Amino acid sequence: VGNSALIIQDGLPIAPPLNTEEFANEDDNPLRVVAEDPVSTFSIDVDTASWSLIRSSINRGQLPPADAVRIEEMVNYFPYDYTAPDADSVSPFLPTVNVFQTPWNPDTQLVRIGIQGELPAIEDRPPLNLVFLIDTSGSMAAANKLPLLKQSLALMLPQLTEEDEIAIVTYAGSAGQVLEATSATDTDAILGALDNLSAGGSTNGEDGLRQAYSVAEGMAEEGEVTRVLLATDGDFNVGFFDPKRLEQFISDKRESGTYLSVLGFGRGNLDDEIMQTLAQNGSGQAAYIDTLSEAQK
C-alpha cells in the first residue's frame, strides 16, 4: 500500500525492519552579498563521515538522506597535499588560498581556502594509550557492524609499537572490560579478545563511556597520548537520555586530556547525530566505516 514494503518469510508476511537513522545537520547557509556582508567566519572541521555515508547509500542503489550530506565533510575526505608550515614556523598551520572562475556563472568567482596543520614526526610521537570502546548490543549483529568492526580494529595493530598500549571495554545491557592494558605488539591477546566478542542485549552507552574513561585515566602517564575510540552504530537506548547531559560529560572528560573519536558502523538504526555530538565534544573525529578499505584509510 503506497510506499510500504511487504516481506515474505516461510510463506508468512513479516514487518520490514524499521529505519530509525538520525543525522546531524545545520540549516543551509543563505546567499550573502559580499559588498554588504564582507566578513566570513568558519570552523575547521576534521570529520569525514558524510562522504562514506553517502557512498554507502549510493552503493545500495538508494539516494542518501538529505541531512547526511555535509559539504565540509565531503571536502575533508580527500587529500590535497597542501603545503605544511615549517618546523620553525611561528604559526601552527599554513593557509593555501585559490581564486578561480565559477564554472556555472561567468560573473562570479570562487575562493577556496585550504588549511594544513603542522605535520607530526611519526617516528618521534609519544606512546599511545588506546581504549577500544566497542558496542556489542543486539543491533550490532549484522555483518557490516560487529564483524566488520573486529576486522577494522585488527588492521590498526601493525601501525602501533611495543610502547603503545590497548585496552578493550564493551557495552550492551551493561559494560565490562574484556582486555586489560596490553602492549600493542601482543597481537595474540588483542585479536583473541576481539574474536570472543558477540552481539546481544540493549545499548547502555552511559556505562560503557564511564568505564572506558576510567580505564583510560588509569593508563595515562605524563607525556603520553590517551584516546578512547568508540565503535558503534550509535543506537544508545539505555543511559544518557538527555543530550545536554551527554555533551557535558564528554566535555568534562576532554579537559583531563583524554579525547574521544567515534567510528560508525552499519545502516538502518545509525544515530549519526549522537556520533557527531560525541566526537565534537570529545575533541576527536567522527568517521563512518562501511568497507575494509575505508577502515584502512
Side-chain angles (χ1 to χ4, degrees), residues 6-296:
L6 186 63
I7 299 176
I8 303 298
Q9 179 175 306
D10 297 330
L12 299 174
I14 61 172
L18 294 176
N19 187 324
T20 59
E21 293 185 340
E22 296 284 347
F23 294 92
N25 212 333
E26 302 293 336
D27 294 336
D28 292 341
N29 287 325
L31 177 66
R32 299 184 184 275
V33 178
V34 176
E36 301 172 357
D37 194 2
V39 177
S40 177
T41 61
F42 61 94
S43 62
I44 302 176
D45 190 337
V46 298
D47 295 334
T48 61
S50 181
W51 178 266
S52 45
L53 278 167
I54 291 169
R55 182 187 60 209
S56 171
S57 293
I58 293 173
N59 285 341
R60 296 191 302 168
Q62 300 173 350
L63 284 175
D67 283 343
V69 179
R70 295 187 289 266
I71 300 300
E72 71 277 11
E73 294 184 25
M74 297 171 66
V75 172
N76 287 346
Y77 185 86
F78 300 95
Y80 298 95
D81 196 25
Y82 290 134
T83 302
D86 296 330
D88 56 354
S89 174
V90 296
S91 174
F93 63 86
L94 188 67
T96 298
V97 181
N98 304 104
V99 180
F100 46 92
Q101 187 66 50
T102 306
W104 59 87
N105 187 344
D107 299 323
T108 64
Q109 293 179 307
L110 296 177
V111 178
R112 180 178 67 180
I113 303 173
I115 300 293
Q116 177 62 62
E118 182 179 346
L119 297 175
I122 300 299
E123 64 276 9
D124 297 332
R125 70 162 173 78
L128 300 177
N129 301 308
L130 303 177
V131 180
F132 294 163
L133 175 55
I134 300 177
D135 182 353
T136 55
S137 62
S139 64
M140 292 291 291
N144 61 351
K145 294 187 179 183
L146 186 57
L148 177 59
L149 186 161
K150 293 179 183 181
Q151 295 174 292
S152 300
L153 294 183
L155 289 176
M156 180 188 297
L157 299 183
Q159 312 301 320
L160 304 178
T161 71
E162 62 182 6
E163 294 186 338
D164 302 327
E165 288 192 329
I166 288 175
I168 299 177
V169 174
T170 64
Y171 67 94
S174 59
Q177 185 173 356
V178 299
L179 181 71
E180 297 182 350
T182 301
S183 171
T185 56
D186 189 354
T187 55
D188 287 344
I190 297 168
L191 293 176
L194 287 173
D195 287 342
N196 287 332
L197 301 182
S198 58
S202 57
T203 315
N204 195 335
E206 178 173 358
D207 273 2
L209 284 166
R210 291 190 184 280
Q211 183 156 1
Y213 275 111
S214 176
V215 171
E217 290 164 2
M219 297 168 66
E221 294 187 16
E222 186 71 27
E224 298 182 346
V225 176
T226 304
R227 298 286 183 269
V228 174
L229 302 178
L230 169 59
T232 180
D233 59 7
D235 184 19
F236 283 25
N237 54 33
V238 178
F240 285 112
F241 290 104
D242 181 358
K244 294 298 182 184
R245 182 165 153 251
L246 175 58
E247 291 176 22
Q248 188 60 54
F249 174 78
I250 299 298
S251 297
D252 290 345
K253 293 299 182 180
R254 176 189 65 203
E255 298 302 319
S256 70
T258 298
Y259 294 171
L260 172 71
S261 286
V262 185
L263 308 176
F265 290 83
R267 298 298 300 270
N269 62 338
L270 183 73
D271 199 325
D272 168 81
E273 188 167 11
I274 284 184
M275 291 167 46
Q276 293 286 325
T277 297
L278 291 171
Q280 290 168 10
N281 285 275
S283 289
Q285 182 178 9
Y288 175 75
I289 296 176
D290 59 338
T291 64
L292 271 181
S293 60
E294 181 65 25
Q296 184 68 61

